[in-house]
């Protein structure tokens, strides 16, 4: 029977509820339990696919093509399980379903209301995910902060759901912040007490409190929180700021977090096998060197916009025992060649990640040209691959007017063009080529070497592709097409065999990298950097 764990947050936003939920998932998986997750987001967008990375960070993509909140990425990385459309629920998608039913006449003339129609739909999403994953534990994180008007239907649904499944089958973990006042040298518990009071006023009593803090919580404060918030003393869990997010599961395990969860859910505890995770954390904390990777993109002001790329770089670094520093390079600043050279002077490798629109493109082309001409290890992702193809076409294959029709509709040489299936697509949101597709890899290429496979599956999110009309010319000029869709129509990976690492892919490898299993293309990049560095020293 599935047990349900709801995670709410109070006091402030950006508490890292996702990391706490993902860490709990890891601790349960380490005990051999199966875990499914759901993220409930109270905003009205049907999914985050149309939201700007500047505002909302990266859009994560699942195998089945859902465009989701970036927290789902953390969940997949920590729990090492692939989730689905059912894992991401927004108010917008809930309302859309209910309104569509109303328009179809399903409610037979009844008045459609938040309670019970919206709340029933929310509860049915929990059950649908349960039926699909059949997990031992289903972790459901509610976005936003307690007290927000927009999250109320979700909170009400949890209240109903908890009483329907009964004591011992569902719990609520409430995450809060204990601010530290340097003048009095104290951690303050009052905001947490207040947020629990608000939660209670909605009919929800938390069973566990996880407190984010920059300092160790004194026993007196823990006892106070337990007393005022009506949770047992062992259920007040400290979650201190850590150097790496991957240390969080171990810190929570030390405090018997999972043990307390299991006790409350009336499940006998099992021995946790965290040996490999512990080894990972040891490697993170004891690197033998440092390398610097540049990320040349447009959304460099908010690192969350490329969070899976950043994590993937780290994973590959962990495997090679090196610390990876990121240098954010604003592609618009690379328009000037001298400036571009200067910005790339201190990086050991460079990534041009995914993106949309013409802004910053010429700068990206300069970055790629510099990497190609100077054998600087390079990985291009999605838009990064499209730029690599344009750069090669213009500067090597002699196709001077080469461009993407995304940037210039009237490009004289459209080496990148809208995919056929996209030509008649109208509207935004869930309309790109999304999710996992197979790719065949050519033997004897760098891609084949790192994947060690003839066929792979990777996740996509794009509308444009390499125009097949130009593939022969590009091949003749030396660009190797090392990965193609099974029907041979879509270019998935290109590379330059004579350079140490110049590989670009149309898909997003960053969505499949795991801390203990770095993605082959990121590993290829970091390996090449490490090799070049050791040859220099
Ligand atoms: N804008 C490009 C396209 O739609 C690339 C998309 C991306 O990088 N995710 O094809």
């Amino acid at each position: 029977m599935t047990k349900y764990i709801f995670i709410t947050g109070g006091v402030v936003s950006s508490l890292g509820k996702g990391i706490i939920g993902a860490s709990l998932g890891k601790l349960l998986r380490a005990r051999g339990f199966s875990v499914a997750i759901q993220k409930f987001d109270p905003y009205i967008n049907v999914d985050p696919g149309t939201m700007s990375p500047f505002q909302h960070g990266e859009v994560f993509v699942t195998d089945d093509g859902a465009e989701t909140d970036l927290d789902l990425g953390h969940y997949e990385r920590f729990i090492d399980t692939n989730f689905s459309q059912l894992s991401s629920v927004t108010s917008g998608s809930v309302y859309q379903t209910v309104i569509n039913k109303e328009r179809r006449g399903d409610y037979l003339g009844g008045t459609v209301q938040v309670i019970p129609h919206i709340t029933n739909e929310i509860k049915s999403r929990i059950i649908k995910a349960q039926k699909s994953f059949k997990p031992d534990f289903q972790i459901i994180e509610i976005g936003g902060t307690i007290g927000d008007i927009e999250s109320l239907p979700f909170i009400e649904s949890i209240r109903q759901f908890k009483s329907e499944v009964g004591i011992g089958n569902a719990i609520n973990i409430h995450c809060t912040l204990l601010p530290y006042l340097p003048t009095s040298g104290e951690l303050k518990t009052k905001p947490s007490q207040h947020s629990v009071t608000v939660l209670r006023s909605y009919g929800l009593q938390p069973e566990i409190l996880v407190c984010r803090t920059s300092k160790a919580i004194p026993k007196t404060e823990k006892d106070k929180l337990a007393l005022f918030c009506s949770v047992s003393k062992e259920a007040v869990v400290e979650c201190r700021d850590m150097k790496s997010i991957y240390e969080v599961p171990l810190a929570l395990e030390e405090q018997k977090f999972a043990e307390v969860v299991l006790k409350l859910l009336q499940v006998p505890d099992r021995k946790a096998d965290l040996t490999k995770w512990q080894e990972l954390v040891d490697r993170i904390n004891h690197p033998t060197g440092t390398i610097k990777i540049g990320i040349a993109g447009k959304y460099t002001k908010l690192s969350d916009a490329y969070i899976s790329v950043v994590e993937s770089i780290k994973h590959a670094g962990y495997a090679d025992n090196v610390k990876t520093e990121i240098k954010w390079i604003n592609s618009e600043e690379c328009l000037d060649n001298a400036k571009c050279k200067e910005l790339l002077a201190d990086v050991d490798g460079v990534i041009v990640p995914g993106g949309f629109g013409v802004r910053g493109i010429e700068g990206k082309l300069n970055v790629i040209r510099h990497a190609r001409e100077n054998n600087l290890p390079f990985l291009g992702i999605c838009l990064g691959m499209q730029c690599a193809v344009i750069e090669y076409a213009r500067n090597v294959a002699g196709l001077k007017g080469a461009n993407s029709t995304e940037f210039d509709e009237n490009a004289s040489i459209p080496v990148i063009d809208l995919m056929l299936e996209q030509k008649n697509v109208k509207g935004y949101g869930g309309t790109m080529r999304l999710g996992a597709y197979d790719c065949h890899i050519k033997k004897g290429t760098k891609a084949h070497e790192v994947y060690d496979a003839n066929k792979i599956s990777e996740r996509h999110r794009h509308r444009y592709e390499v125009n097949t009309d130009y593939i022969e010319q590009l091949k003749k000029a030396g660009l190797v097409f090392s990965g193609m869709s099974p029907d041979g129509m879509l270019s998935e990976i290109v590379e330059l065999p004579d350079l140490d690492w110049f590989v670009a892919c149309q898909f997003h490898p960053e969505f499949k990298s795991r801390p203990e299993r770095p993605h082959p293309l990121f590993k290829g990049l970091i390996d090449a950097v490490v090799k070049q560095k050791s040859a220099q020293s």
Side-chain angles (χ1 to χ4, degrees), residues 516-536:
E516 295 164 298
R517 235 173 332 107
H519 190 284
L521 295 183
F522 283 91
K523 179 86 170 51
L525 173 79
I526 302 301
D527 283 355
V529 167
V530 170
K531 234 181 174 171
Q532 279 192 354
K533 280 211 120 178
S534 63
Q536 282 157 15

Side-chain angles (χ1 to χ4, degrees), residues 354-357 381-383 386 406 432 461-464 506 508:
F356 296 84
I381 298 173
C382 205
L383 183 75
Q386 297 173 356
E406 179 179 6
M432 284 187 248
R461 184 170 185 255
H462 63 120
R463 292 184 205 283
Y464 293 81
Q506 184 57 76
H508 289 269

Side-chain angles (χ1 to χ4, degrees), residues 89-146:
V89 177
T90 68
S91 292
S93 74
V94 169
Y95 274 85
Q96 192 178 46
T97 306
V98 171
I99 291 169
N100 286 344
K101 280 188 188 168
E102 187 272 335
R103 293 286 87 177
R104 269 202 320 259
D106 291 7
Y107 298 114
L108 304 172
T111 308
V112 182
Q113 295 181 296
V114 172
I115 305 170
H117 301 99
I118 296 295
T119 47
N120 282 352
E121 178 57 27
I122 293 172
K123 288 190 288 178
S124 87
R125 300 289 181 101
I126 302 175
I127 298 303
K128 265 191 203 144
Q130 191 280 330
K131 289 212 168 108
S132 163
F133 293 106
K134 299 187 185 63
D136 296 323
F137 294 91
Q138 191 158 324
I139 298 176
I140 299 140
E141 179 198 339
I142 324 296
T145 310
I146 221 61

Side-chain angles (χ1 to χ4, degrees), residues 464-482:
Y464 293 81
E465 59 158 333
V466 178
N467 186 340
T468 42
D469 293 349
Y470 297 95
I471 290 184
E472 275 318 308
Q473 268 169 284
L474 290 163
K475 272 188 188 169
K476 271 200 199 111
L479 190 65
V480 170
F481 288 76
S482 45

Side-chain angles (χ1 to χ4, degrees), residues 193-206:
Q193 295 176 39
H194 276 301
S195 88
V196 170
T197 305
V198 177
L199 199 56
R200 278 203 208 110
S201 73
Y202 301 145
L204 264 189
Q205 166 63 47

